[in-house]
Amino acid sequence: MAQVTLEHLDKEYGQVMAVRDFTFTVEDQEFLVLLGPSGCGKTTTLRMVAGLEEPTRGTISIGGREVTQLEPKDRDIAMVFQNYALYPHMTVFENMAFGLRMRRYRPDEIRRRVESAAEILGLAPLLQRRPRQLSGGQRQRVALGRAIVREPQVFLMDEPLSNLDAQLRAQTRAELKSLHQRLGATVMYVTHDQVEALTLGTHIVVMKDGIVQQADTPDGLYRRPTNQFVATFVGTPPMNVLAGALETRAATLVMRLGTDTVVVPSPDRAAVQGFQSPRAILGVRPEHVHVMPHGDDIPLTGRIRLVEPTGHETLVYLDVADQSLIARADGAFRGESGQVLTVGLDPVELHWFHPETGARASA
Ligand SMILES: Nc1ncnc2c1ncn2[C@@H]1O[C@H](COP(=O)(O)OP(=O)(O)OP(=O)(O)O)[C@@H](O)[C@H]1O
Ligand SMILES: [Mg+2]
């Protein structure tokens, strides 16, 4: 297994800058997730690592060896695509063995590798079946098996679960996570699904328009998003963002929201003043908007637009000064549309963003 280092990678397709100045090191045995909306350059980045696209600029190293100019077959990687195609006329065993046969491995070595991968993936009883005799999840595991038998230094996976239904997807996601732990493999994994990213990744790189927005641990992304884009892309429901005017009242910096004022907590004050703007954007996650305010909370008055019970919790959609605010309440919460409600914002869980650039206040 190995480290993967990408330095100043650019990929241009004519006028389109698909990937811009991508620099990152995936540590040995790490599960690195590339996350971002459609068209942000995730697949292009992965294909450059695989050797299927040539970078316009920059270098790629795997296991300390520069591979930028090497053919895919010489890079010691295995890739699992979204649209894996199994050979319908071959058994599971033959599907997994095919790549090794092409590379002229000895039959006993092929058998050893296929049986070991089948054991890991729970496919041992299915080796003589054909793809049409398998469920979607089992087929997906055969596609993973084809990569595992290669025993590569690095696994590259591009949305490998996207063909599965929601339940199977969650199950296969969990299997993939324990598989990673057992194999001790270095993985680069592409998804646009932030839940998948948070649950699988040891580190996550968030991209937008070909540009890396933030490279961090799942916890770091969630707790300290570097800008408004990351803040609202990661988390369900997304972080609330409220735009408001700043004012100084009695030597205290506040944000006006309708008839309410939110005092900018002192640790954030200098950074928000540093925006040198008359406005700011306040970010707060739904779980930090309390329908039963705590003692130190910042009160904010809204009107309930919609109450959405989901069993163990209830999402409360509020209108606050013509803006939308979602609170995550206890499952027992009862409220009516149109009701006026004072919620409490947790003062140590507020995020402040620049009104034009969306950059986080660096408190
Ligand atoms: N062969 C190509 N020629 C021209 N433009 C391309 C080519 N391949 C990709 N692009 C463009 O590069 C950008 C990044 O594409 P890429 O496939 O990497 O996105 P992605 O993040 O994987 O998106 P998705 O989530 O939809 O798969 C897009 O704007 C896309 O249209
Ligand atoms: Mg893609």
Side-chain angles (χ1 to χ4, degrees):
M1 296 299 155
Q3 197 183 55
V4 182
T5 302
L6 315 181
E7 283 180 293
H8 303 297
L9 273 194
D10 285 341
K11 180 64 186 180
E12 291 167 10
Y13 294 108
Q15 297 298 308
V16 179
M17 264 296 227
V19 177
R20 204 179 301 202
D21 201 20
F22 194 115
T23 296
F24 190 76
T25 295
V26 188
E27 297 299 341
D28 184 31
Q29 306 199 1
E30 184 165 7
F31 199 118
L32 188 273
V33 176
L34 295 177
L35 173 68
S38 183
C40 72
K42 306 179 295 291
T43 296
T44 304
T45 304
L46 207 66
R47 288 174 60 84
M48 287 195 283
V49 177
L52 300 170
E53 296 286 347
E54 192 183 342
T56 310
R57 275 172 291 276
T59 58
I60 302 163
S61 305
I62 297 176
R65 177 178 67 132
E66 192 185 327
V67 300
T68 320
Q69 302 302 327
L70 294 187
E71 292 292 313
K73 66 178 171 51
D74 299 325
R75 295 190 180 200
D76 205 3
I77 47 102
M79 191 148 172
V80 183
F81 296 94
Q82 172 179 351
N83 295 308
Y84 57 89
L86 302 179
Y87 299 108
H89 57 287
M90 289 186 194
T91 62
V92 168
F93 184 97
E94 287 305 326
N95 264 286
M96 295 211 282
F98 186 75
L100 301 179
R101 289 211 203 287
M102 297 303 285
R103 287 178 177 77
R104 302 188 182 288
Y105 280 73
R106 292 202 346 250
D108 57 336
E109 177 64 8
I110 292 175
R111 177 157 296 279
R112 182 192 71 74
R113 290 193 183 198
V114 171
E115 285 176 354
S116 150
E119 197 57 49
I120 289 171
L121 293 165
L123 291 171
L126 308 175
L127 282 173
Q128 295 314 315
R129 292 216 196 153
R130 291 181 208 282
R132 70 182 143 76
Q133 299 167 308
L134 301 176
S135 72
Q138 289 165 339
R139 276 181 223 158
Q140 183 67 60
R141 278 184 268 151
V142 177
L144 280 172
R146 283 197 304 206
I148 291 172
V149 296
R150 301 269 311 280
E151 300 181 0
Q153 292 206 67
V154 180
F155 288 92
L156 305 176
M157 303 187 186
D158 192 354
E159 312 237 10
L161 307 185
S162 53
N163 287 334
L164 305 180
D165 66 37
Q167 195 181 351
L168 204 50
R169 202 180 161 116
Q171 184 191 331
T172 314
R173 190 172 77 205
E175 283 172 8
L176 207 54
K177 186 163 181 151
S178 69
L179 180 67
H180 169 249
Q181 287 161 357
R182 264 180 293 156
L183 293 176
T186 306
V187 179
M188 289 183 75
Y189 185 100
V190 162
T191 183
H192 61 267
D193 180 334
Q194 48 96 19
V195 176
E196 215 166 279
L198 291 176
T199 50
L200 283 173
T202 48
H203 276 84
I204 300 171
V205 173
V206 181
M207 300 177 74
K208 180 185 171 230
D209 300 336
I211 300 171
V212 172
Q213 305 291 306
Q214 185 167 2
D216 213 324
T217 59
D219 198 52
L221 275 190
Y222 195 79
R223 290 176 191 276
R224 238 187 117 67
T226 190
N227 58 34
Q228 196 182 330
F229 172 78
V230 176
T232 51
F233 194 74
V234 176
T236 15
M239 183 186 285
N240 296 293
V241 285
L242 298 166
L246 296 171
E247 268 176 28
T248 303
R249 283 199 189 169
T252 304
L253 186 65
V254 301
M255 179 191 264
R256 278 189 61 100
L257 284 169
T259 52
D260 285 313
T261 53
V262 173
V263 174
V264 180
S266 54
D268 301 329
R269 206 163 292 159
V272 174
Q273 266 158 346
F275 287 162
Q276 306 208 339
S277 168
R279 298 174 68 74
I281 294 185
L282 166 61
V284 58
R285 293 210 178 271
E287 59 268 36
H288 301 133
V289 180
H290 303 139
V291 294
M292 309 271 259
H294 305 177
D296 294 339
D297 281 357
I298 298 169
L300 197 58
T301 306
R303 187 179 291 275
I304 298 179
R305 191 170 69 244
L306 183 74
V307 177
E308 198 176 67
T310 65
H312 72 294
E313 65 180 21
T314 297
L315 298 177
V316 187
Y317 295 76
L318 296 139
D319 290 318
V320 172
D322 295 328
Q323 302 183 70
S324 175
L325 183 77
I326 304 176
R328 180 171 257 154
D330 192 86
F333 175 81
R334 294 287 172 269
E336 297 288 332
S337 302
Q339 181 187 331
V340 172
L341 185 71
T342 298
V343 295
L345 309 184
D346 187 334
V348 301
E349 297 287 357
L350 303 183
H351 307 256
W352 299 91
F353 302 107
H354 191 281
E356 277 98 43
T357 67
R360 180 191 190 83
S362 49

